[in-house]
Amino acid sequence: MEGVVVGVCAVLGLVFGSFANVVVHRVPAGRSVARPPSACPSCDARVRPMDNVPVVSWLLLRGRCRDCKEPIGVRYPAVELATAALFAAVAVRFGLDWALPGYLLFAWTLLVVALIDVATRRIPNRLTYPLTPALGVLLVAAALLHGEAGVALRAVLGGVAGFGAMLVLALISPRGMGMGDVKLAAFLGIGLGYLGWGHVVLGLFGGFFLGGIVALVLLAVRIRERKDFLPFGPYLALSSLATVLIGRFVIDAYLRASGVG
Ligand SMILES: [Zn+2]
């Protein structure tokens, strides 16, 4: 049964990975994700349904447009495979559980947000505004279906806490952190809060830790100057995703080591 769930989620991941490519490409440009249908970026020829099968079509076409033969970036199948891997990992973590849809949404959103933030240094409101309440509804419903009202409340408070903590940090040090990160923290806080307060702390502070280390390394090798703006979104996303998947082992080990657990 477990294997079936993981397999179904991996296939779902390929499909939603294909959609992620559309969102990453169009949302920063303010375009509709529904229409027009996908077209070749070089010659504008419409992508035929048979050429729109995730990964497979790209391999069969050897990474080129059927019409103009211009190369199609390897990032398209790579994003599809990454989404499939993430969805499979979430399925392994949660199994067939009410919380599974919420965490598939969590993983998909963070992949998309990280890719957009790296490319454009922005986290679009068009993603955080609808997807944050959607995640809240999915996880509150999951908690209530488990009969755990306390968990539902903690997920909501986690979102409020994430937003509040990040807002304070953004006001103290406006450089390097934008309101996009503050809004993203509300989304992250909901997903982390459902699992526990330890997860909220680990996920959000892990992001700063990770971002800080990378920033120091880049400064040390002089790839970046101190004044350059480093997007924090991808680090927050990566840290929060890792915390959802394996944070419980880290937290357990910490509690054991400190003699609490
Ligand atoms: Zn073409």
Side-chain angles (χ1 to χ4, degrees):
M1 190 59 204
E2 182 90 333
V4 175
V5 175
V6 173
V8 168
C9 285
V11 173
L12 262 182
L14 287 175
V15 176
F16 278 92
S18 188
F19 183 55
N21 278 317
V22 176
V23 171
V24 169
H25 194 66
R26 293 188 184 179
V27 163
R31 293 167 55 202
S32 162
V33 296
R35 65 193 81 208
S38 297
C40 167
S42 300
C43 71
D44 235 22
R46 219 167 123 169
V47 179
R48 299 163 181 78
M50 66 168 189
D51 291 342
N52 214 1
V53 182
V55 183
V56 178
S57 294
W58 190 88
L59 290 174
L60 288 176
L61 291 167
R62 294 194 181 83
R64 289 177 184 281
C65 167
R66 183 183 291 277
D67 294 283
C68 69
K69 310 295 178 204
E70 281 296 310
I72 298 164
V74 71
R75 64 168 290 160
Y76 291 95
V79 165
E80 288 160 359
L81 285 175
T83 312
L86 278 178
F87 276 30
V90 169
V92 168
R93 164 70 175 84
F94 291 95
L96 197 55
D97 187 276
W98 292 115
L100 183 59
Y103 284 103
L104 292 177
L105 175 71
F106 190 78
W108 183 88
T109 303
L110 294 189
L111 179 73
V112 168
V113 161
L115 289 172
I116 291 178
D117 200 8
V118 166
T120 69
R121 305 285 167 91
R122 294 186 67 89
I123 299 173
N125 290 337
R126 258 182 85 193
L127 293 174
T128 45
Y129 283 1
L131 295 178
T132 303
L135 179 69
V137 167
L138 284 174
L139 290 184
V140 164
L144 295 179
L145 285 164
H146 282 300
E148 296 184 275
V151 172
L153 183 64
R154 195 176 60 205
V156 174
L157 291 179
V160 174
F163 183 87
M166 208 63 78
L167 181 63
V168 169
L169 287 172
L171 291 176
I172 295 172
S173 68
R175 204 171 49 185
M177 208 172 3
M179 280 310 288
D181 295 313
V182 175
K183 293 165 194 165
L184 177 65
F187 179 89
L188 299 173
I190 293 170
L192 295 164
Y194 178 93
L195 296 173
W197 287 110
H199 284 73
V200 177
V201 173
L202 186 63
L204 296 183
F205 282 90
F208 285 105
F209 188 67
L210 208 59
I213 287 178
V214 173
L216 285 176
V217 170
L218 292 180
L219 275 175
V221 298
R222 293 176 181 269
I223 290 177
R224 282 175 191 277
E225 298 298 324
R226 194 176 293 274
K227 61 181 164 42
D228 283 353
F229 178 80
L230 283 161
F232 254 112
Y235 300 113
L236 287 172
L238 183 62
S239 168
S240 298
L241 206 49
T243 299
V244 162
L245 293 175
I246 56 170
R248 56 190 165 152
F249 303 118
V250 178
I251 292 165
D252 282 352
Y254 173 78
L255 292 179
R256 259 199 309 278
S258 59
V260 179

